[in-house]
Amino acid sequence: MYLKWGAYSWIAQKFMLVISVLLRDYYYIHESGLAYKRIGVLFYLALVMVGLVTVFWKIYKKKTNYYLFRVNAWAVIVLLVFSTAVDWDEWIASYNTSHNKNILLPVDFMVNLSNKALIVLDKERDVLKGQQQLLLSQGVNWPYRMELDDLIDWRIKQYKEQQASYSWLSWSYSDQLLMNHFS
């Protein structure tokens, strides 16, 4: 009886810890924008929440350890499948540029996103240039030898050349959309 209530209090304590980390990650995203590891923290916290719920349910309904492994493994699989369905680079670029009034964009990080984010970078050049000037005025060094516009143009040119070298076997719908945008 005491052990069961001790376990429940431990689970409640871990829930409060998860909420605390979730709030800190939210504020960090709100102040600094999205990045891969910030999204990874959200996924990790989702899995921890599922794990805590399944441990609570295991204790409450007297389930087996197999139940824990089975349900938590399915949670990991579902999360991994979901995470592959989203184009994270495009989403990060869109989110960060649309929230440019609230955050100081890491422009050097943004121009290093994958080719899928090139459309957003191309459309939001003015936002990126404004943020770059703000960073330069604060003493942050620009780590590239090219100017921002030249760097984006070079990446677009490089992408077009790369796509032109592929055969029809490498065709994909997302690449076709990207090529149509730059044509």
Side-chain angles (χ1 to χ4, degrees):
M1 176 76 170
Y2 293 116
L3 187 60
K4 187 184 273 192
W5 285 106
Y8 291 152
S9 64
W10 179 84
I11 292 170
Q13 178 189 22
K14 296 308 168 196
F15 261 121
M16 290 188 310
L17 182 64
V18 166
I19 298 301
S20 169
V21 173
L22 183 66
L23 285 173
R24 281 182 278 166
D25 196 40
Y26 167 76
Y27 289 129
Y28 198 55
I29 290 171
H30 183 72
E31 295 294 322
S32 303
L34 275 179
Y36 300 120
K37 290 182 183 177
R38 294 173 200 149
I39 295 169
V41 168
L42 294 175
F43 283 148
Y44 176 75
L45 291 176
L47 289 176
V48 169
M49 293 280 266
V50 168
L52 289 173
V53 168
T54 57
V55 167
F56 173 80
W57 198 249
K58 177 195 182 309
I59 294 169
Y60 184 71
K61 289 291 187 175
K62 297 180 182 173
K63 299 278 186 178
T64 64
N65 285 337
Y66 174 72
Y67 164 81
L68 276 180
F69 291 127
R70 182 175 47 88
V71 172
N72 290 331
W74 274 109
V76 169
I77 290 169
V78 167
L79 188 73
L80 288 175
V81 168
F82 168 74
S83 68
T84 61
V86 177
D87 186 5
W88 294 109
D89 285 343
E90 187 177 355
W91 201 53
I92 288 170
S94 297
Y95 178 87
N96 287 348
T97 55
S98 67
H99 290 84
N100 68 330
K101 303 283 190 256
N102 301 337
I103 62 177
L104 187 60
L105 288 179
V107 179
D108 55 335
F109 167 73
M110 299 281 289
V111 296
N112 279 320
L113 293 173
S114 75
N115 292 333
K116 304 298 181 199
L118 282 176
I119 293 176
V120 177
L121 297 177
D122 189 37
K123 287 180 183 176
E124 302 291 342
R125 285 178 192 245
D126 293 334
V127 170
L128 293 172
K129 281 193 272 187
Q131 290 287 324
Q132 181 191 26
Q133 292 303 320
L134 191 59
L135 285 170
L136 291 174
S137 70
Q138 293 181 354
V140 177
N141 291 330
W142 179 246
Y144 302 103
R145 293 185 181 132
M146 297 182 202
E147 292 296 321
L148 180 64
D149 278 333
D150 296 335
L151 183 60
I152 293 172
D153 290 337
W154 177 75
R155 288 206 48 213
I156 291 169
K157 180 180 174 247
Q158 193 178 35
Y159 178 75
K160 286 180 178 179
E161 289 172 358
Q162 179 186 25
Q163 290 299 312
S165 70
Y166 291 155
S167 71
W168 65 272
L169 297 172
S170 299
W171 184 88
S172 73
Y173 182 68
S174 62
D175 284 333
Q176 186 65 44
L177 288 176
L178 200 54
M179 286 299 289
N180 291 345
H181 175 77
F182 294 125
S183 298

